[in-house]
Amino acid sequence: MEEAANQEASLAEERVGIGAEIMLSAGKFVVVAPLKDSPAFKAGLKPQDEIVRVNEERVEGKSMTQLMQLLSGKKGTSIKMTVYRSSENRHVELHMKRDTIAMHTVSSDVYEVDDYSLGIVNISLFGEKTGEEWEKQTKALVERGIDGLVIDVRGNPGGYLYSVSTIIGTLL
């Protein structure tokens, strides 16, 4: 039940937290990337940082759910995080305040290659509003007069089937 609630929260349009994508790798919690302009980003959290402690509590041996519980809390509350930054071979202490994190799951860009205009749409996960974001982004690309479209779902962990269905429906 708890895992399902956490999964649902991770797919929500917005949530309160620090704004970082984290993965569990070889028993260590490693930052994939902080979300742009999030509390984690502003505090200086970097990709490849290994989370060691949250509010003085060691995270070694904990599950991803347990880590998420330590990182989540009420908006405006403070959090202290100790990370090991292997690129500098040292531990770094970061302070941040939890905030509302808007989850934008679709981004796009246009690349010009040999007089050919190519639209690239990245879908980071299939959340609550992904279908709406997809329609908005692709409409803007079509209005720009793209000649082709690439859909990038690399690293996408999945999500809501209805969001996938909405996107496929627009393609058919």
Side-chain angles (χ1 to χ4, degrees):
M1 234 13 208
E2 195 174 300
E3 289 286 337
N6 286 333
Q7 178 67 16
E8 193 169 302
S10 75
L11 298 173
E13 181 181 2
E14 60 180 36
R15 58 183 168 209
V16 174
I18 64 165
E21 186 178 339
I22 301 165
M23 69 176 184
L24 184 58
S25 175
K28 298 176 180 181
F29 294 104
V30 179
V31 175
V32 176
L35 300 175
K36 191 174 185 328
D37 298 326
S38 69
F41 181 86
K42 292 172 184 170
L45 193 66
K46 295 182 178 182
Q48 302 303 313
D49 280 353
E50 177 193 335
I51 300 172
V52 179
R53 283 193 299 271
V54 175
N55 291 333
E56 300 301 330
E57 188 171 337
R58 291 191 60 76
V59 298
E60 185 179 0
K62 294 196 181 299
S63 68
M64 183 63 83
T65 299
Q66 291 169 316
L67 176 68
M68 291 299 115
Q69 287 173 340
L70 289 172
L71 296 176
S72 62
K74 290 186 179 181
K75 181 178 177 173
T77 56
S78 295
I79 186 170
K80 181 169 77 170
M81 181 185 294
T82 304
V83 298
Y84 176 70
R85 188 162 289 157
S86 59
S87 63
E88 299 173 14
N89 194 25
R90 69 183 182 105
H91 285 82
V92 178
E93 193 172 282
L94 304 170
H95 298 267
M96 58 199 88
K97 287 189 190 251
R98 295 174 179 100
D99 202 355
T100 304
I101 309 296
M103 294 300 295
H104 298 286
T105 59
V106 181
S107 60
S108 65
D109 209 346
V110 175
Y111 289 91
E112 302 290 336
V113 180
D114 300 329
D115 296 328
Y116 191 78
S117 183
L118 188 61
I120 311 246
V121 178
N122 178 279
I123 305 172
S124 61
L125 65 84
F126 296 100
E128 284 180 357
K129 302 287 183 181
T130 302
E132 293 170 27
E133 289 180 45
W134 161 265
E135 289 181 24
K136 182 179 172 188
Q137 295 280 342
T138 54
K139 182 179 179 190
L141 289 172
V142 169
E143 287 172 357
R144 284 182 67 177
I146 60 170
D147 298 307
L149 181 68
V150 174
I151 304 167
D152 183 356
V153 290
R154 291 174 294 171
N156 183 318
Y160 288 126
L161 182 58
Y162 70 80
S163 289
V164 177
S165 177
T166 299
I167 292 167
I168 291 172
T170 65
L171 296 171
L172 299 177

